[in-house]
């Protein structure tokens, strides 16, 4: 049994490991979790004592096999709850993250299995993120960011790296969601912002925005 704080750290390390092959620094964790560096170091050492992470002072932390298994379970619960909230309770996709953050800590393997079966065992959550199965296997997810496309390229939006309410509301205002087709019309050399063509017109997106949109190039 782990505390909610420990589970939050395991999930944070998991997400950061998706972005890099090296160890996760305490400063990266501190920025993501908005926690003081000293508190992060203390928690990482605690997780290392429990054999959930490998930690070296100047290398950083990485999940052990045991830590990865538990992190995947937390991610599985979080994304299943997000799917349930959107598809069954009619929440907007920008409302569900904080609620799922609370529900992901429920300790009931039977509830998770029954929820998965009830929902038809979805492979992706409402934001396009892959949902781990009961064995921790992840379906494939697109790795190309919109910012990596060139002028004239076409892509289909498949997921979003930033799931904050503010970013998702911003995308909704631009009529961008999962399955939206985009065509890169122009890339501004000065700041790498993009003009993209959608079904009903063109919009300009900042580099920050295009870095956080995953696409499948077509």
């Amino acid at each position: 049994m782990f505390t909610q704080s420990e589970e939050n750290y395991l999930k944070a390390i998991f997400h950061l490991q998706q972005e890099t092959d090296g160890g996760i620094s305490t400063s990266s964790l501190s920025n993501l979790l908005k926690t003081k560096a000293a508190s992060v170091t203390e928690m990482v050492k605690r997780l290392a004592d429990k054999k959930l992470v490998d930690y070296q002072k100047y290398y950083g932390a990485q999940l052990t096999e045991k830590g990865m298994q538990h992190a995947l379970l937390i991610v599985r619960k979080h994304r299943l709850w997000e799917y349930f909230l959107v598809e069954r309770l009619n929440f907007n996709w920008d409302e569900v993250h904080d609620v799922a953050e609370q529900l992901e800590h429920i300790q009931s393997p039977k509830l998770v299995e029954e929820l998965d079966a009830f929902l038809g065992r979805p492979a992706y959550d409402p934001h396009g993120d892959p949902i781990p199965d009961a064995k921790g296997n992840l379906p494939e997810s697109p790795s190309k960011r919109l910012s990596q496309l060139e002028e004239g390229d076409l892509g289909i939006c498949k997921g979003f790296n930033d799931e904050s309410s503010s970013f998702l509301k911003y995308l909704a205002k631009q009529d961008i969601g999962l399955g939206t087709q985009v065509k890169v019309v122009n890339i501004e050399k000065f700041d790498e912002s993009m003009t993209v063509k959608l079904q009903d017109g063109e919009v300009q997106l900042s580099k920050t925005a295009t870095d956080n949109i995953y696409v499948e190039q077509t």
Side-chain angles (χ1 to χ4, degrees):
M1 188 72 68
F2 305 106
T3 67
Q4 288 191 16
S5 182
E6 288 171 338
E7 291 191 334
N8 288 337
Y9 271 82
L10 291 175
K11 189 176 68 169
I13 296 171
F14 170 83
H15 286 309
L16 290 170
Q17 281 189 192
Q18 307 311 298
E19 302 290 328
T20 181
D21 294 327
I24 305 306
S25 67
T26 53
S27 61
S28 295
L29 280 169
S30 177
N31 291 334
L32 180 61
L33 295 169
K34 297 179 175 58
T35 305
K36 293 180 179 179
S39 299
V40 172
T41 301
E42 181 181 345
M43 175 59 78
V44 168
K45 288 180 178 178
R46 186 194 306 177
L47 295 175
D49 289 340
K50 293 188 175 184
K51 310 300 182 185
L52 296 168
V53 302
D54 288 324
Y55 173 65
Q56 299 177 34
K57 186 174 181 180
Y58 297 108
Y59 177 73
Q62 282 193 316
L63 295 171
T64 63
E65 183 176 349
K66 178 182 176 182
M68 179 63 76
Q69 288 176 346
H70 196 73
L72 284 166
L73 174 59
I74 303 165
V75 170
R76 170 173 163 78
K77 289 188 289 184
H78 182 98
R79 294 176 179 173
L80 282 172
W81 282 120
E82 287 195 335
Y83 188 95
F84 172 75
L85 291 166
V86 170
E87 298 297 330
R88 293 295 189 270
L89 297 186
N90 299 316
F91 277 65
N92 292 326
W93 72 337
D94 58 13
E95 297 177 311
V96 297
H97 181 74
D98 290 343
V99 181
E101 288 272 297
Q102 302 171 51
L103 294 169
E104 70 187 26
H105 299 293
I106 295 175
Q107 303 295 325
S108 173
K110 181 178 181 180
L111 175 60
V112 178
E113 173 58 26
E114 292 297 330
L115 178 64
D116 192 19
F118 172 71
L119 295 173
R121 304 198 184 283
Y124 300 91
D125 75 8
H127 310 112
D129 292 319
I131 300 175
D133 65 17
K135 295 182 179 180
N137 299 312
L138 281 165
E140 289 187 9
S141 58
S143 58
K144 179 163 284 191
R145 300 172 189 266
L146 177 55
S147 58
Q148 295 175 294
L149 299 190
E150 298 180 356
E151 290 182 2
D153 286 347
L154 288 170
I156 303 293
C157 296
K158 291 292 185 179
F160 308 101
N161 189 49
D162 184 346
E163 295 181 10
S164 65
S165 177
S166 58
F167 183 61
L168 296 176
K169 286 179 178 178
Y170 167 77
L171 291 178
K173 287 181 179 179
Q174 309 304 323
D175 290 326
I176 294 175
L178 292 179
T180 298
Q181 179 174 283
V182 298
K183 179 179 181 179
V184 181
V185 176
N186 180 67
I187 301 175
E188 184 62 48
K189 291 183 180 179
F190 173 69
D191 60 2
E192 297 182 75
S193 60
M194 275 187 179
T195 301
V196 299
K197 183 179 181 180
L198 308 176
Q199 182 176 356
D200 297 322
E202 296 182 355
V203 297
Q204 188 167 13
L205 301 173
S206 68
K207 179 69 160 51
T208 300
T210 58
D211 273 343
N212 281 290
I213 300 174
Y214 289 115
V215 297
E216 179 181 295
Q217 191 169 352
T218 60

